[in-house]
Amino acid sequence: MVKRLHYGKGSLFQKSRKNPRTGKREYYGSFFIKYMTEPGKYAMKNLNTTDRNTAETLYSEWITQRAHGDDAIVDGDKPVKDFMLSWLARREEEQRTRHNIKAGTVNRYRNIITPFVGYLDERGLATVSMRNFKSSHLSSYLTYRVNQTRFHGQSDVKLTESGVNKEYKIIRSIFAKAFKKRIIPLDITEEVIPFRLEIQQKKLPTLDEMLEVMRCIAEPEVRDFFKVGLLTGERSAEITHMKWENIDFAKEAIS
């Protein structure tokens, strides 16, 4: 047996026989699918291939049509651009109606899907169907995102490899779920390797740098600011936004 799914949906087998000399089962010949047509009754579908990879591909296509019907077939034939936009539309609908997704999360999804769709349009890949989308296309997109420049106001900041890897996690999850739902026959994300991140060594401050920091802390303009931060552990934004009503002098507490 090569693979078994849930009961009744069909399992992939290869013709076999028991060797009388060794007592072990030997596999040979073509692959076939055995599935249940009704309780207690089974049928077989011959795939007419002796190659394991080809058999698993044909099996994935067959199980797509049987288990998910027309929806999986339509989504598999849908262009990648339309599929990604429809995926984003479903997340937005869930946020509006079911409120099981935060609005900030949907905005993050939108910021990831939008450049991906723009890349598809630019490279002429928008019309490629989900079934025909390749792992090489995803690898090229990762390189494209690293080399791309985002504009923030007057300055431009390059995306880091870490940021690209975080974006890719979302895109990878979309294709992985499409594979689990048998919309696409293969999980193309397994062949894509995220960028390796260089481990930056921590640089300890020198004695002169520490003395310069201590000199700045001693200045009257910032002395109290640093004193509150060191004694309370508050962030700089919390200190700068603090108001008198946040301080309880009687209990010696800060809210």
Side-chain angles (χ1 to χ4, degrees):
M1 183 179 69
V2 179
K3 185 184 295 183
R4 179 178 292 279
L5 287 186
H6 300 291
Y7 181 72
K9 289 187 177 180
S11 302
L12 182 63
F13 295 89
Q14 187 177 17
K15 291 181 180 179
S16 63
R17 63 185 174 187
K18 188 175 181 180
N19 191 319
R21 185 174 60 84
T22 61
K24 296 182 179 180
R25 184 163 294 279
E26 298 178 347
Y27 295 91
Y28 71 99
S30 62
F31 289 83
F32 64 92
I33 301 172
K34 182 179 179 181
Y35 59 97
M36 185 174 64
T37 57
E38 56 182 277
K41 293 186 178 181
Y42 295 85
M44 295 172 56
K45 176 180 176 59
N46 192 1
L47 296 179
N48 297 318
T49 179
T50 58
D51 179 69
R52 179 184 295 267
N53 294 330
T54 303
E56 291 185 348
T57 301
L58 295 173
Y59 172 73
S60 298
E61 294 177 354
W62 179 87
I63 204 68
T64 296
Q65 299 175 16
R66 179 169 175 79
H68 295 278
D70 295 336
D71 292 340
I73 298 174
V74 171
D75 285 341
D77 294 335
K78 185 181 296 184
V80 180
K81 178 181 177 180
D82 295 344
F83 183 88
M84 301 301 288
L85 292 177
S86 63
W87 181 90
L88 179 60
R90 286 194 294 269
R91 304 290 84 78
E92 293 174 343
E93 183 66 20
E94 289 177 358
Q95 193 277 323
R96 288 193 302 267
T97 57
R98 298 167 57 184
H99 305 287
N100 59 338
I101 300 179
K102 296 181 179 179
T105 303
V106 175
N107 291 333
R108 181 166 172 262
Y109 289 159
R110 188 182 299 108
N111 294 335
I112 294 174
I113 297 299
T114 301
F116 183 62
V117 170
Y119 170 83
L120 296 175
D121 287 330
E122 182 181 333
R123 301 301 173 90
L125 300 173
T127 58
V128 177
S129 67
M130 285 290 294
R131 295 184 187 278
N132 296 327
F133 203 71
K134 306 296 183 183
S135 58
S136 58
H137 297 150
L138 285 180
S139 299
S140 300
Y141 176 69
L142 291 180
T143 305
Y144 166 82
R145 284 299 280 166
V146 169
N147 296 329
Q148 190 184 39
T149 303
R150 276 185 178 175
F151 294 93
H152 299 278
Q154 300 297 325
S155 62
D156 54 345
V157 181
K158 266 197 171 182
L159 281 172
T160 63
E161 287 83 353
S162 177
V164 172
N165 286 342
K166 290 179 180 178
E167 288 188 357
Y168 175 63
K169 284 183 179 180
I170 301 298
I171 297 176
R172 180 176 59 184
S173 67
I174 297 174
F175 279 93
K177 289 178 181 178
F179 169 70
K180 289 181 179 179
K181 293 181 178 179
R182 305 300 176 182
I183 294 174
I184 55 178
L186 299 173
D187 186 1
I188 61 176
T189 60
E190 294 181 351
E191 302 178 10
V192 182
I193 302 176
F195 285 97
R196 292 185 177 181
L197 307 180
E198 296 183 1
I199 301 176
Q200 297 181 354
Q201 296 182 352
K202 294 183 178 180
K203 179 181 176 297
L204 299 177
T206 63
L207 178 60
D208 292 338
E209 291 173 340
M210 288 299 299
L211 291 175
E212 181 65 20
V213 172
M214 296 302 295
R215 185 190 66 79
C216 293
I217 292 177
E219 294 292 334
E221 294 82 0
V222 296
R223 179 183 57 207
D224 295 336
F225 178 90
F226 280 100
K227 187 175 181 179
V228 173
L230 292 172
L231 294 176
T232 62
E234 290 187 347
R235 298 182 177 89
S236 58
E238 294 173 336
I239 299 175
T240 55
H241 291 79
M242 189 184 302
K243 298 179 181 180
W244 286 115
E245 53 264 28
N246 299 130
I247 305 174
D248 190 335
F249 290 100
K251 296 182 180 180
E252 297 183 352
I254 300 175
S255 60

